[in-house]
Amino acid sequence: MSKAKIWAESYFQRLDSIIEELKKHPLIDHLSYIRFKGISDEEITAIEAGLSEEVYSNMDQGSEVPSFKFDAYMKAFYNISNGLNIAWDSHIVQSSLDDSRVITDADQDDFAVANNDLLQAEGFLSLLPLKNLISYADLDIYGDPRETRLGREMSNSGRHFTYLDFYNFYYDTCIALDPKGNTQNNFLYSGEDHSACYNDYKVSDFVIYMENLLANYFSVFLRSNAFYDTDAVAAFRDNDYEDIAKKIASENQYASIDDVLKYHVQDEELLEKFGDLDFLQEKSEAIYEKIKELLDVTLEDEL
């Protein structure tokens, strides 16, 4: 079995453990986890060809035909699940999540993005199905990252720049694909200022990004930790990401769900934006006691 397939299988095993931990944690209020049916290598090859054809059809006459490719690790991941949806909230920060569900073999009809500014969650991932890297017209996404400064620069250089993980125009992540099929030049960029611009000083790639999100329990407010300077990305890629989970864990300040929740409750900007004393006062005394017991935080002191 290839290193890429070993990594992908290991990732989903560790992800299952994280989901179980979230399901059982007394401070987690809602959890939605939707894993989709995987796609074959042949389907991925067809999507790569379709993407190249679509981009070429919009290029100037005489332009070189692009040949976009996804790296082996990204392919191995999508072999298992063609996209991924995760959303959770806690009893600490008010959100608009109102139900919990776990689906492990879903059809694409169940795919969702955070499509309005009122939908908030503490943990969120909306990893687009692979075909939607060609076009996301059938999803409830109405922006276009190619219209940003970085997007225009990418297009002018022949690269394909599009959404990979979409959350509400606050914390979206885009992927830039190399037109010559050199997957070492495929990088991820984080959206800023409601996706009006993208940070090109720090980048990521598929494996590094997904490992960091897993390490931080998919916290929306910690996903910036998944982006590094290019030298750090190159170091992670050495020896095909050998021991990447251990390397990320060794630098991670938030190694448990309790650490993540404590960060959420002690982040003044987050509480100012999402905290609601009336919402918290409706909670039972048992919730306050659990916050004190597990997080060593007296909630009234934070609000």
Side-chain angles (χ1 to χ4, degrees):
M1 186 183 296
S2 69
K3 288 185 177 181
K5 290 187 180 296
I6 291 171
W7 170 79
E9 290 191 2
S10 167
Y11 187 90
F12 278 95
Q13 289 170 0
R14 290 177 285 132
L15 174 58
D16 287 344
S17 296
I18 291 290
I19 295 301
E20 285 302 310
E21 188 177 350
L22 289 169
K23 284 168 62 176
K24 296 175 181 177
H25 198 283
L27 291 180
I28 299 302
D29 195 4
H30 303 101
L31 169 66
S32 177
Y33 171 53
I34 306 176
R35 177 170 153 181
F36 298 91
K37 296 173 181 177
I39 57 175
S40 67
D41 289 336
E42 291 75 19
E43 290 174 299
I44 293 174
T45 298
I47 290 171
E48 290 174 330
L51 174 57
S52 300
E53 291 171 6
E54 175 65 22
V55 172
Y56 181 65
S57 69
N58 293 308
M59 296 174 70
D60 294 335
Q61 187 174 6
S63 298
E64 183 178 350
V65 179
S67 179
F68 298 111
K69 302 292 182 184
F70 306 115
D71 68 69
Y73 289 82
M74 189 170 173
K75 290 178 181 179
F77 185 101
Y78 276 85
N79 284 155
I80 296 174
S81 183
N82 185 20
L84 192 64
N85 275 163
I86 297 171
W88 63 263
D89 66 5
S90 75
H91 290 285
I92 299 169
V93 179
Q94 187 173 22
S95 87
S96 59
L97 299 180
D98 56 9
D99 66 352
S100 296
R101 57 178 178 162
V102 174
I103 307 173
T104 56
D105 194 25
D107 294 316
Q108 293 302 309
D109 291 344
D110 290 305
F111 190 82
V113 295
N115 61 354
N116 70 71
D117 290 346
L118 297 178
L119 195 155
Q120 304 294 345
E122 289 174 74
F124 198 92
L125 172 73
S126 186
L127 191 68
L128 271 59
L130 209 57
K131 68 179 179 63
N132 290 117
L133 271 62
I134 302 176
S135 171
Y136 46 83
D138 59 333
L139 301 178
D140 198 356
I141 301 175
Y142 49 85
D144 188 345
R146 294 171 300 180
E147 296 179 354
T148 63
R149 175 193 61 80
L150 184 60
R152 289 190 292 270
E153 290 178 3
M154 293 291 180
S155 297
N156 291 338
S157 66
R159 295 163 71 82
H160 182 58
F161 190 65
T162 191
Y163 294 120
L164 176 67
D165 176 14
F166 187 81
Y167 179 67
N168 229 24
F169 294 116
Y170 289 98
Y171 301 98
D172 72 272
T173 296
C174 281
I175 187 169
L177 299 172
D178 181 77
K180 297 184 182 297
N182 183 353
T183 59
Q184 290 294 301
N185 290 331
N186 292 350
F187 292 105
L188 275 57
Y189 299 84
S190 62
E192 297 181 344
D193 191 19
H194 296 232
S195 302
C197 65
Y198 288 86
N199 183 346
D200 54 351
Y201 295 101
K202 291 189 175 183
V203 299
S204 194
D205 70 9
F206 187 79
V207 173
I208 297 169
Y209 183 72
M210 295 304 296
E211 285 287 355
N212 270 277
L213 265 58
L214 184 69
N216 289 315
Y217 293 81
F218 302 92
S219 167
V220 171
F221 310 105
L222 290 170
R223 62 170 50 195
S224 60
N225 293 345
F227 296 88
Y228 301 83
D229 62 44
T230 54
D231 289 341
V233 170
F236 276 123
R237 286 174 165 178
D238 283 348
N239 300 316
D240 289 325
Y241 304 99
E242 185 175 357
D243 294 329
I244 184 171
K246 292 181 180 178
K247 291 177 182 176
I248 290 173
S250 68
E251 300 174 357
N252 185 16
Q253 301 178 53
Y254 309 100
S256 71
I257 184 59
D258 289 347
D259 292 336
V260 171
L261 291 173
K262 188 170 183 177
Y263 170 78
H264 288 183
V265 78
Q266 292 185 322
D267 185 288
E268 293 182 6
E269 183 178 349
L270 188 158
L271 277 185
E272 182 179 346
K273 187 172 184 179
F274 302 116
D276 187 325
L277 187 57
D278 292 335
F279 162 76
L280 289 165
Q281 287 176 336
E282 294 174 0
K283 298 294 182 179
S284 68
E285 186 65 28
I287 294 297
Y288 279 79
E289 291 174 357
K290 279 295 179 184
I291 292 171
K292 176 65 176 176
E293 173 192 343
L294 298 176
L295 309 186
D296 192 26
V297 171
T298 302
L299 201 55
E300 292 92 334
D301 293 343
E302 299 297 330
L303 292 171

